[in-house]
Amino acid sequence: MAQIAAPIRVEVAGEPGDRFEEILTPAALDFIARLDAAFEGRRRDLLTERRRRAQRLRSGEPLDFSLATRAVREDPHWRVAPPAPGLADRRVEITGPPERRMTVNALNSRARVWMADFEDATSPTWHNIVSGQLNLRDAIERRIDFTTADGKAYRLCDDPATIVVRPRGWHLTEEHLRIDGRPVSASLVDFGLYFFHCAQRQIDAGRGPYFYLPKLENHYEARLWNDVFVLAQDLMDIPRGTVRATVLIETITAAFEMEEILHELREHSAGLNAGRWDYLFSLIKNFSHRPDFVLPDRARVTMTAPFLRAYTELLVRTCHRRGAHAIGGMAAHVPSRDPRANEAAFAKVRLDKEREAEAGFDGSWVAHPGLVPLCREVFDGVLGDAPHQIARLRGDVHVTAADLLAVRGVAGPPTPEGVRADVAVALRYFDAWLRGSGAVALYGLMEDAATAEIARTQLWQWLRHGAADLATMTAILDAECAALERERPDALVTEARDILERTALGRELPAFFTTDAYTRHLVADRLAARAAVRP
């Protein structure tokens, strides 16, 4: 390992669990502490700049492509690294939390890639975070087979999907690991534990340590990740460039820096992904003060909207120009037992995937194993035996700043059904999140933190600009709380309602619901710890 002075040790504030000591080893914690010592200051500075830029946008500063980085965009010669082993063909990717059952099902789904999601699809209880790391290591070592109490067997297949891990975003912290009394970056915890335990194991298995990077807002945040990769590889005596990372373009500011983000990560880059739900959330959040950016019901804002089409076409053109994969957005439908409902849902998914494949994407996401065959069929029809279509450069695409912000043809007030749908989804998702589930099937869709963020920011925006009134919204909330109590006797209705009221119905719009709601997990963990030690 590289010789870097050891910082203050990491204090484990979370309760012990079954086999947690296999992950929270002294060497692994020391590795995290070294990353923290090198990068915590820069992380805090970048978050400060995020807040400043958000304030400038609220004050009317225009959003445009940067003149300072024009040379990077105009240089025709640079390229990202070639595809790493297991990442050349990505025509179908499945996403989900690294729960034990999901881990086996995702790896066996016949998708080419599984994104093990510690971020939007995981409720960050201490148990979920540490057990998720255990599940990944067990899967790589092929020790994950198990049988449930009712006799159902889960066995890993011979050709599982390539694992790509999505750590939590730069804005989040892990309160159960502390250095000098302060919490450690959740990004560094999720990345560090996986890298320390699994990087060499993945290399030995013919793959490598691969990551999806969420919530980046500019190329400086990508540069920070690149520097993390360099130090981590040096510390573990792994060649630089072994790490590969796909960046989710899921903030409106990052959409204006796609080239720059690829450039910062170029020796570690595996491309870009159209994280469309968080992207829509970011657009609403950053322009929530503007009445001309009021959007209608979420279901009416489709990927055919001009501003979303411009975003996806720019992403494909940018990636292919630089030799990188362009990965499409999530198909969130969950197959049901109703044949008619399935037929209608699958038809929508097919149209969506056909648009992506025809636009030049090299693959796309699904949330459920039942959608893997459909997505694969669509991309097989375009790709054939080729692993991707990076050679399709999309020189016909020319996207301006105005194109990325052209919501005028889509903007409009919500319907009463749209308001009720957002209240119902947000309330039920917050309840499930508090109870430890981050990916929740609701009304035929797999909802995660990103879609809950859309729901609550839309509610706030509609109230702010008079597209909905507080009395009506409160009455809907009362009705949905009563319905949730009937649906689930164990529902945390009061707590879920409080989160919704604090993050959607107040005077100010919080940047993320997760930073507020995370304190509820901490309280629950502490109460559980006290109960465990009572005589």
Side-chain angles (χ1 to χ4, degrees):
M1 288 190 181
Q3 297 301 308
I4 295 179
I8 299 171
R9 72 179 183 89
V10 179
E11 174 195 358
V12 179
E15 286 299 299
D18 184 34
R19 298 177 59 205
F20 279 20
E21 71 280 358
E22 296 178 29
I23 295 298
L24 303 171
T25 65
L29 296 177
D30 179 70
F31 181 72
I32 290 173
R34 291 170 187 270
L35 297 179
D36 176 270
F39 301 114
E40 175 61 13
R42 282 174 60 187
R43 183 187 78 91
R44 291 185 183 185
D45 290 345
L46 288 170
L47 293 179
T48 297
E49 179 53 33
R50 274 191 187 185
R51 292 188 289 270
R52 289 172 178 165
R53 190 173 196 189
Q55 182 57 50
R56 293 197 299 270
L57 289 175
R58 286 193 293 270
S59 299
E61 180 181 278
L63 191 55
D64 206 342
F65 298 97
S66 172
L67 292 176
T69 55
R70 183 167 61 184
V72 171
R73 297 193 301 275
E74 294 182 351
D75 181 350
H77 301 296
W78 63 268
R79 297 288 187 276
V80 304
L87 290 180
D89 189 330
R90 303 173 62 179
R91 66 189 68 200
V92 188
E93 301 192 353
I94 190 168
T95 75
E99 300 166 353
R100 202 161 188 85
R101 190 172 305 187
M102 176 66 193
T103 296
V104 177
N105 286 341
L107 291 174
N108 288 350
S109 68
R110 300 303 175 188
R112 298 301 179 98
V113 168
W114 171 43
M115 187 191 76
D117 190 8
F118 284 93
E119 201 219 14
D120 280 353
T122 292
S123 176
T125 66
W126 182 233
H127 176 271
N128 286 349
I129 296 302
V130 183
S131 64
Q133 296 283 348
L134 273 166
N135 292 335
L136 292 175
R137 199 187 70 174
D138 284 352
I140 295 165
E141 295 183 337
R142 302 193 66 87
R143 294 194 301 155
I144 195 142
D145 296 356
F146 69 100
T147 302
T148 63
D150 60 3
K152 186 172 182 180
Y154 289 81
R155 301 287 183 267
L156 199 61
C157 69
D158 293 333
D159 184 26
T162 297
I163 296 174
V164 180
V165 171
R166 175 158 71 165
R168 285 168 285 176
W170 283 129
H171 61 292
L172 296 170
T173 58
E174 177 49 70
E175 295 281 347
H176 300 95
L177 293 180
R178 306 181 74 84
I179 293 177
D180 199 22
R182 61 169 174 79
V184 180
S185 160
S187 301
L188 296 181
V189 170
D190 298 342
F191 165 82
L193 290 176
Y194 178 73
F195 190 91
F196 182 84
H197 289 291
C198 298
Q200 190 60 55
R201 286 178 168 89
Q202 286 284 48
I203 295 167
D204 294 342
R207 294 293 187 260
Y210 305 143
F211 299 91
Y212 258 109
L213 305 182
K215 305 291 192 295
L216 299 190
E217 298 203 1
N218 55 60
H219 69 284
Y220 296 109
E221 296 181 11
R223 182 181 299 172
L224 176 56
W225 267 119
N226 195 71
D227 291 345
V228 170
F229 298 156
V230 169
L231 178 58
Q233 290 166 129
D234 288 351
L235 288 172
M236 298 290 290
D237 287 331
I238 290 172
R240 293 185 181 185
T242 303
V243 170
R244 295 300 171 84
T246 305
V247 174
L248 292 120
I249 301 299
E250 54 185 358
T251 65
I252 185 64
T253 52
F256 287 82
E257 300 189 30
M258 294 186 197
E259 297 251 20
E260 294 89 332
I261 288 170
L262 284 177
H263 187 263
E264 293 291 346
L265 286 159
R266 56 194 181 279
E267 75 169 331
H268 297 113
S269 178
L272 303 177
N273 171 281
R276 57 197 186 191
W277 300 133
D278 264 308
Y279 186 77
L280 189 57
F281 156 54
S282 175
L283 182 88
I284 297 168
K285 177 175 64 175
N286 279 286
F287 295 98
S288 59
H289 58 290
R290 288 180 51 171
D292 54 328
F293 273 77
V294 173
L295 296 178
D297 305 358
R298 169 186 154 195
R300 292 166 57 195
V301 185
T302 68
M303 296 308 294
T304 61
F307 74 98
L308 291 174
R309 188 169 63 249
Y311 149 69
T312 55
E313 290 190 334
L314 178 61
L315 190 148
V316 172
R317 181 183 185 278
T318 300
C319 286
H320 289 182
R321 184 178 181 223
R322 303 305 180 181
H325 281 78
I327 307 300
M330 171 72 78
H333 289 280
V334 176
S336 74
R337 297 179 181 178
D338 182 344
R340 292 185 179 179
N342 276 344
E343 183 178 358
F346 277 47
K348 291 180 181 178
V349 172
R350 181 177 293 277
L351 284 174
D352 181 51
K353 298 311 172 189
E354 287 175 347
R355 278 193 296 266
E356 289 183 325
E358 291 165 4
F361 280 99
D362 303 293
S364 192
W365 277 11
V366 298
H368 192 280
L371 296 179
V372 169
L374 188 158
C375 185
R376 184 176 60 233
E377 177 188 337
V378 169
F379 275 87
D380 284 350
V382 172
L383 298 180
D385 293 331
H388 50 68
Q389 51 184 334
I390 291 175
R392 188 179 171 198
L393 299 181
R394 291 304 312 268
D396 58 307
V397 171
H398 301 282
V399 173
T400 67
D403 294 331
L404 290 173
L405 301 172
V407 303
R408 182 169 299 176
V410 183
T415 65
E417 294 77 15
V419 176
R420 181 174 292 277
D422 275 0
V423 171
V425 167
L427 180 72
R428 285 163 177 78
Y429 184 81
F430 294 157
D431 165 60
W433 194 90
L434 289 171
R435 288 185 289 105
S437 296
V440 188
L442 295 171
Y443 311 113
L445 296 175
M446 188 65 73
E447 306 285 5
D448 64 9
T451 51
E453 292 284 27
I454 294 173
R456 64 103 184 170
T457 51
Q458 280 198 309
L459 294 173
W460 190 92
Q461 186 187 47
W462 293 336
L463 286 174
R464 164 74 181 264
H465 297 290
D469 66 88
L470 183 59
T472 299
M473 202 172 286
T474 301
I476 292 172
L477 180 56
D478 290 340
E480 290 299 328
C481 285
L484 179 56
E485 286 180 331
R486 292 192 297 271
E487 294 164 16
R488 291 198 65 102
D490 63 338
L492 302 175
V493 177
T494 301
E495 295 85 348
R497 177 176 185 142
D498 184 52
I499 293 173
L500 194 152
E501 290 178 336
R502 288 165 59 91
T503 64
L505 308 186
R507 288 179 57 86
E508 301 297 328
L509 178 63
F512 299 95
F513 89 82
T514 46
T515 50
D516 174 85
Y518 186 47
T519 58
R520 312 303 176 92
H521 278 323
L522 300 179
V523 171
D525 283 347
R526 287 165 187 157
L527 290 175
R530 289 175 189 168
V533 299
R534 283 177 189 160

